[in-house]
């Protein structure tokens, strides 16, 4: 049987909702942890969001394609599969967000890396919870299995 995966508009909805809530959370957290205004930290969160949307769209499509090729339904991932998804996505995002953090905050590599790693630890949990809720709210219908 053919395993159906998310279409382009569904992926876009996922990415936009994911980033919308994350920008709010990261902007507030950065403002609380630094001497920067909420506007300033919110702008950095928005820049990181644009980067993340592009990376997430590509990453999620590739992972769904791999699942489908192995006969697995992406919206029915196991707990281990969801953890792997979240960790892999955050590693991909860390490589793309670090230069933006260094530039915007005027931080050196190590300080930006420490912040990024802290954010990644939070975002891995956020990704797991958000994706689980999203999959429950917006499942991808599958053809009935014979049997």
């Amino acid at each position: 049987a053919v395993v159906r995966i998310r279409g382009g508009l569904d992926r876009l909805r996922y990415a936009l909702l994911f980033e919308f809530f994350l920008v709010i959370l990261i902007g507030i957290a950065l403002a609380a942890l630094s001497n920067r205004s909420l506007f300033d930290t919110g702008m950095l969160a928005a820049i990181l969001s644009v980067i993340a949307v592009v990376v997430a769209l590509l990453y999620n499509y590739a992972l769904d394609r791999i699942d489908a090729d192995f006969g697995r339904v992406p919206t029915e991932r196991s707990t281990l599969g969801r953890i792997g998804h979240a960790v892999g996505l955050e590693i991909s995002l860390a490589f793309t967000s670090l230069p933006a953090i260094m530039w915007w905050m005027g931080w050196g590599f190590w300080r930006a890396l420490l912040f990024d790693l802290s954010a990644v630890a939070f975002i891995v949990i956020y990704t797991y919870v958000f994706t689980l809720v999203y999959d429950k709210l917006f499942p991808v219908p599958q053809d009935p299995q014979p049997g």
Side-chain angles (χ1 to χ4, degrees), residues 59-88:
Y59 178 88
N60 288 328
Y61 175 77
L63 193 61
D64 284 0
R65 193 69 261 147
I66 290 167
D67 276 347
D69 288 348
F70 282 95
R72 296 184 301 254
V73 178
T75 59
E76 297 174 8
R77 286 189 183 116
S78 66
T79 298
L80 186 60
R82 288 181 184 283
I83 291 169
H85 167 265
V87 170

Side-chain angles (χ1 to χ4, degrees), residues 21-104:
F21 291 114
L22 189 57
V23 163
I24 292 169
L25 293 170
I26 294 293
I28 291 169
L30 260 176
L33 296 171
S34 70
N35 291 326
R36 302 282 185 117
S37 70
L38 182 55
F39 177 79
D40 191 34
T41 59
M43 290 301 294
L44 173 59
I47 291 167
L48 296 175
S49 175
V50 170
I51 293 168
V53 165
V54 172
V55 172
L57 286 171
L58 296 171
Y59 178 88
N60 288 328
Y61 175 77
L63 193 61
D64 284 0
R65 193 69 261 147
I66 290 167
D67 276 347
D69 288 348
F70 282 95
R72 296 184 301 254
V73 178
T75 59
E76 297 174 8
R77 286 189 183 116
S78 66
T79 298
L80 186 60
R82 288 181 184 283
I83 291 169
H85 167 265
V87 170
L89 178 58
E90 290 314 310
I91 289 170
S92 300
L93 292 171
F95 282 109
T96 58
S97 64
L98 197 57
I101 295 166
M102 291 170 63
W103 169 71
W104 190 268

